[in-house]
Amino acid sequence: DADVTQTPRNRITKTGKRIMLECSQTKGHDRMYWYRQDPGLGLRLIYYSFDVKDINKGEISDGYSVSRQAQAKFSLSLESAIPNQTALYFCATSDLVRDTGELFFGEGSRLTVL
Amino acid sequence: GQNIDQPTEMTATEGAIVQINCTYQTSGFNGLFWYQQHAGEAPTFLSYNVLDGLEEKGRFSSFLSRSKGYSYLLLKELQMKDSASYLCAVQDSNYQLIWGAGTKLIIKP
């Protein structure tokens, strides 16, 4: 089983719908992140969390919200999906104690907004 | 603004050597990462450089020059499985990662 698990892996939805992407991890890491990846662009940070009580906006947080339900769970919501939110979304974790900065990614959630 | 530049695509031959360059302009520097990403899969960590010089790890090596804002990833004895995108990322003064768009490496027999 993957250490960082994302659900769903693929989702097609319509404009205006609310969508939640979920991420859970068994690595015991404190830090969790949500990124989106678009063709021809680098990974862009949406939100990140350094512990359950700490939530921070990334460079492209507009139109998104997150919830850190537990150390192991970090979910991303699109309150009212729009077509330009069509992208590949990755959850990632990193280790606060070791603090090497190395990220461990989930397998990705491909979202299509029609 | 912050910027990471790397070539969009490169082609190399199985068994050969290829060098993928990355140049960066960021607000501060706290390390440079290389990740490998196969099509449709998650990125996986390859290397980390924080000091100038060459870090070697098997067939892969990564070089850093902080004064030039430059790094390269060197892949030796190329195998077909090395066909992937290679992502360069720099940690800025706030320890945030700035990502390049990635270099798609195509290996031909």
Side-chain angles (χ1 to χ4, degrees):
Chain A
D1 290 340
D3 293 326
V4 183
T5 303
Q6 294 181 227
T7 55
R9 295 291 312 282
N10 288 284
R11 181 73 183 268
I12 299 173
T13 191
K14 295 182 178 180
T15 297
K17 295 291 187 181
R18 184 176 188 274
I19 297 297
M20 180 179 286
L21 305 179
E22 298 185 343
C23 177
S24 63
Q25 53 116 345
T26 58
K27 298 192 74 65
H29 289 170
D30 288 311
R31 298 177 175 181
M32 298 188 74
Y33 309 79
W34 275 105
Y35 283 94
R36 66 177 280 175
Q37 188 175 41
D38 298 275
L41 297 177
L43 286 162
R44 290 183 292 169
L45 184 63
I46 305 171
Y47 271 96
Y48 62 102
S49 169
F50 283 176
D51 67 39
V52 176
K53 297 179 181 179
D54 177 75
I55 302 289
N56 303 280
K57 292 182 177 180
E59 62 178 299
I60 56 162
S61 59
D62 287 349
Y64 302 94
S65 62
V66 291
S67 174
R68 185 81 184 266
Q69 302 95 323
Q71 187 210 32
K73 295 183 182 296
F74 193 36
S75 61
L76 176 71
S77 294
L78 287 68
E79 299 303 326
S80 179
I82 56 177
N84 77 1
Q85 291 178 312
T86 293
L88 182 58
Y89 290 84
F90 285 105
C91 174
T93 72
S94 66
D95 190 344
L96 173 61
V97 174
R98 290 179 58 198
D99 202 22
T100 61
E102 178 184 350
L103 294 176
F104 298 84
F105 287 86
E107 295 164 311
S109 297
R110 187 168 295 281
L111 176 65
T112 302
V113 183
L114 302 177
Chain B
Q2 308 203 90
N3 195 50
I4 309 288
D5 285 319
Q6 49 181 133
T8 302
E9 187 174 296
M10 299 181 70
T11 302
T13 304
E14 189 177 15
I17 299 173
V18 71
Q19 177 175 310
I20 302 174
N21 296 325
C22 171
T23 57
Y24 62 89
Q25 290 179 309
T26 56
S27 301
F29 178 86
N30 280 303
L32 185 144
F33 294 80
W34 284 96
Y35 282 77
Q36 180 189 59
Q37 185 178 22
H38 285 101
E41 298 183 10
T44 55
F45 171 81
L46 286 178
S47 68
Y48 171 67
N49 295 70
V50 65
L51 299 176
D52 290 351
L54 188 68
E55 294 280 344
E56 297 185 80
K57 190 185 295 185
R59 294 189 299 114
F60 292 6
S61 303
S62 56
F63 171 83
L64 174 67
S65 169
R66 289 172 296 170
S67 62
K68 294 182 179 178
Y70 168 71
S71 172
Y72 67 73
L73 181 69
L74 191 71
L75 291 74
K76 302 177 183 177
E77 301 170 13
L78 285 170
Q79 302 175 9
M80 297 304 292
K81 67 179 182 179
D82 297 330
S83 292
S85 290
Y86 292 87
L87 313 181
C88 174
V90 172
Q91 224 170 20
D92 68 11
S93 57
N94 295 317
Y95 290 89
Q96 295 299 324
L97 277 175
I98 312 301
W99 294 84
T103 299
K104 182 178 180 180
L105 178 63
I106 299 168
I107 309 297
K108 295 185 175 180

